[in-house]
Amino acid sequence: IAQLQRLSCLKSILQDSESHISIQLLENDHRIQIGGRGLAGAGLPSSVNIPVSEDPLIGPIVESQTPAIVPNAANHPILRKGKLATTGAWLGFPLVHAKEVVGLIIIDSGRSIEKDFDRADIDLLSSFGEFAGRSIVSYQLKDLAATRER
């Protein structure tokens, strides 16, 4: 999360005290939350029961391996309804390793984005997602090797 705060395109969103950040891994077409910020009391489950392939928000992110940005979720047909309805900005971006999505970072802000994200911002988020995806897989491989040595 500290690395995310260094991205200028996310600065105003992440400084919002109402924003929630969820870091999730993908496993067997489901999302498992492994970390985040501002999640206590948000009612977020540790895993999401909607298969990724059937989720109208997450499925396209995973399939295209590109971020999705909703500047004002109050106007979005899916995000404005339900248990986790939001009225601010919503961003989802994939964590990619070897052309496979291994996880996601979801940012749900209490305020709308004042300026649109440009191509450079999206490229920056994509690059961060690739770096984070490689880091996660590297950690998983080290953990697996340590387990085998025992």
Side-chain angles (χ1 to χ4, degrees):
I1 293 176
Q3 296 299 323
L4 282 173
Q5 292 172 327
R6 292 183 180 160
L7 301 177
S8 61
C9 60
L10 296 179
K11 208 166 257 194
S12 67
I13 295 171
L14 296 176
Q15 289 173 347
D16 179 7
S17 63
E18 295 181 32
S19 69
H20 304 282
I21 302 169
S22 175
I23 302 167
Q24 306 169 356
L25 293 182
L26 296 185
E27 189 174 290
N28 299 324
D29 201 33
H30 284 78
R31 296 180 282 154
I32 300 169
Q33 188 167 292
I34 60 166
R37 186 195 82 186
L39 301 171
L44 298 173
S46 59
S47 66
V48 179
N49 291 326
I50 301 170
V52 170
S53 57
E54 297 175 19
D55 189 311
L57 286 171
I58 303 303
I61 295 170
V62 172
E63 187 175 316
S64 68
Q65 298 187 4
T66 57
I69 300 167
V70 178
N72 186 345
N75 297 330
H76 193 276
I78 296 170
L79 289 171
R80 69 176 182 224
K81 301 177 189 173
K83 183 179 178 184
L84 299 177
T86 184
T87 57
W90 185 92
L91 296 88
F93 59 97
L95 307 179
V96 181
H97 175 71
K99 297 187 180 190
E100 181 180 340
V101 176
V102 297
L104 298 154
I105 294 180
I106 306 295
I107 301 172
D108 180 3
S109 175
R111 70 171 90 156
S112 298
I113 300 173
E114 311 233 338
K115 74 167 192 81
D116 286 337
F117 279 61
D118 59 24
R119 185 77 238 160
D121 294 330
I122 293 169
D123 290 345
L124 186 61
L125 290 174
S126 296
S127 295
F128 181 85
E130 289 174 12
F131 171 76
R134 281 193 306 273
S135 298
I136 288 169
V137 170
S138 177
Y139 175 80
Q140 289 173 328
L141 291 172
K142 287 178 185 176
D143 189 49
L144 179 63
T147 302
R148 286 185 179 168
E149 286 180 8
R150 291 184 211 152

